[in-house]
Amino acid sequence: MSGDVGLESTRARFWVAPGLLVLSLVLVMSVSLMAGPQWFGFGKLWHALWSPSPTNVDDLLIRTTRLPRTLLAAVVGASLGVAGGIMQTLTRNPLAAPGLLGVNAGALFVVVALATMGGGLSAAVANLGAFVGAALAVALVWSLAMRRGPTAGPLRLLLAGAALTALFHAFSQALLVVDQQGLDSVLFWLAGSVAGRPLTDTWPMLILALVALLACVPWLRQWNVLAAGEAVAVGAGVSVRRLQLASITLIVLLAGASVSMAGNIAFVGLIVPHMARRLSTPDHRHWLPLAALIGAVLLLCADIAARTLIPPGEVPLGVMTALVGAPFFMLLVRRQGVRHG
Amino acid sequence: MAEIRALRLGRFSRAIVWRPWWRVLMAWVVVGVALAGCLSLGKIPLTPRELLAALSAPLSDTGLIVWQLRLPRTLLAALVGGALALSGWLLQQVMRNPLASPDTLGVTSGASAAAVAYFSLLAADLGHAWLPLAAAGGALMAVGIVYWLAWQQGVTPLRLVLMGIGLSALLTAATTFLLVSSPFSTTLSAYVWLTGSVYGGNWSEVERLSIGLALALVAMAPLVRYALLAAVDDALAVGIGVRVQRMRGALTLLAAVLAGLAVAWGGAIAFVGLMAPHLARRLVPVPGAAQIVMTIAAGATVVMLADLVGRTLFLPLDLPAGIFVAAIGAPFFLMLLIRQVR
């Protein structure tokens, strides 16, 4: 009897976190639509979303600036959270994340290179460039740090990532110093932001990110096996090479799409998986969806804070997340520090 | 000639291995050649004979160019490069990791954040005179914070590096914020500084930097033997009688001072601290005084040549030396990573 009760209560608890998260996602999204230099009430919001009038300025403001921004923040947050989660599973390193491993820097470098070489920078070219850069960085980090397998230790991977970041930054800086006009046009990418990106520019990336998020679903089980160790996974009949390839592809898609939409946003991919695992079970089918939700909520919160903290100005979103995320990273290192000696 | 000579002066005695010093001598010949190259090349190129004439007549036209423009700038580049290289060597020795450098430990990003803050908040009132002080202070503060955060009943190299990465990210974010929020002209000058250049180096800068470095070197002299021991396992070092934590702290601080001074006058030149010790180790494989001297020579040469390329190859542009150091250093670094994996 008591066992049943226990089971019931775990099952109930199991749904509490996702339920609350969905609820808070809805809440935060609506706050994100309402908040800003001008505060809109709920009635106005409802009106703007479902029965907009083309002449009403408030409706227009909500639909053309706040809505794209909110959608973008939610999708980027979810993508980064999931990308970080996959990365941590794949490398079996709790400190892995796209930003720390140089993916952002790689994407930025290619964008900067395109911006300084080609004069103007169209949205499509920038998007594509960010992808190429992200893929390049992931490939480099992977080949440098993982060739001996994940047992090589967390330090090698992170150092490789830090080094790649330094490298790409150095190149970007060089290009920007030579072509100083380019600096103004890419500062947005350097700082990371979801502001002022109309949906007409970003919709392909939005859809791509959503598709990539869905494409994670068939692999969830295999990630569980991989988390138990590569040897175990091979023994259980998982084709590890294929799984790794699929994971890397997904990471590139998710992280690349995120960077191309919002620029350099740090630390979301690092923090979110940890929160998700704490709120849920070690089963990927449970915590990875949570990671998507938490990522979305977190980035939305960060964006709301970014645009309300210092009116009329704005703190860049990437700076905001780094200010919160870096201390978290250090805390994580301290916690784990004893074990790694 | 005997392989090893002993030097005895009363109670002081030292074994000297002669072989590497020949290579060190050759390296300093290379430094000299690079220096001569830097002095004679530029918008107005000089033949060796003209260079000699200019050097012996400081008040002639070419003499003014060489003495007042090229020589201080080149010396500044050499000092900055040497200091960064030495700092990198110390850190790699203490961290027992060939990838450690002032860049990964947060020294450079601390200096950068402080410098950019100075540019955007204080430069309008105070001018650029106090910039080096701000940068050096930022570097020291960053290392202090990293050390404090990494301290858990002592410090391990791994935790230091990880904390350095974390703090670097935080400081980079702060730097970006300052860059974005300040007026565009400030952003540009700060950005050039961040890339690292010795543009407009003059004698008073050379003087101040060399005094600072000389003091740091004096402080380093009694610690060198511990730097050589730092590569040994902790337990063994304790067994020999080294106070490991204290030495680690002192050496890291020293490395931070060296890098902070260099960055203060040369800007955030990346990769020298990483690259030069490796070059030196290739030429002088045994850690010791010869390797240290070689490291300094390598760092000085790299930055001098990078500055030379930056100011001559793209005339009339005068590009920051940091670009070219990165252009050589980055591929080198990748090679290093790949080799380390094998």
Side-chain angles (χ1 to χ4, degrees), chain B residues 206-244:
Chain B
V206 173
E207 226 165 76
R208 276 182 284 168
L209 178 57
S210 46
I211 289 173
L213 289 181
L215 288 178
L217 281 180
V218 169
M220 183 179 160
L223 291 173
V224 165
R225 56 176 66 209
Y226 298 107
L228 298 175
L229 266 180
V232 183
D233 182 59
D234 272 5
L236 185 58
V238 171
I240 299 173
V242 179
R243 277 181 279 199
V244 172

Side-chain angles (χ1 to χ4, degrees), chain A residues 86-176:
Chain A
I86 301 174
M87 233 171 192
Q88 289 175 11
T89 298
L90 194 64
T91 59
R92 285 201 278 143
N93 183 339
L95 298 176
L100 284 175
L101 296 192
V103 176
N104 289 3
L108 288 177
F109 163 63
V110 175
V111 170
V112 168
L114 289 173
T116 48
M117 280 190 292
L121 185 67
S122 75
V125 172
N127 286 344
L128 200 70
F131 259 108
V132 173
L136 185 76
V138 169
L140 273 174
V141 160
W142 186 262
S143 60
L144 290 177
M146 298 299 289
R147 219 184 287 168
R148 264 194 206 157
T151 47
L155 188 57
R156 178 197 298 276
L157 191 66
L158 280 182
L159 271 180
L164 271 183
T165 308
L167 193 157
F168 283 127
H169 272 319
F171 281 152
S172 307
Q173 256 173 5
L175 287 173
L176 288 176

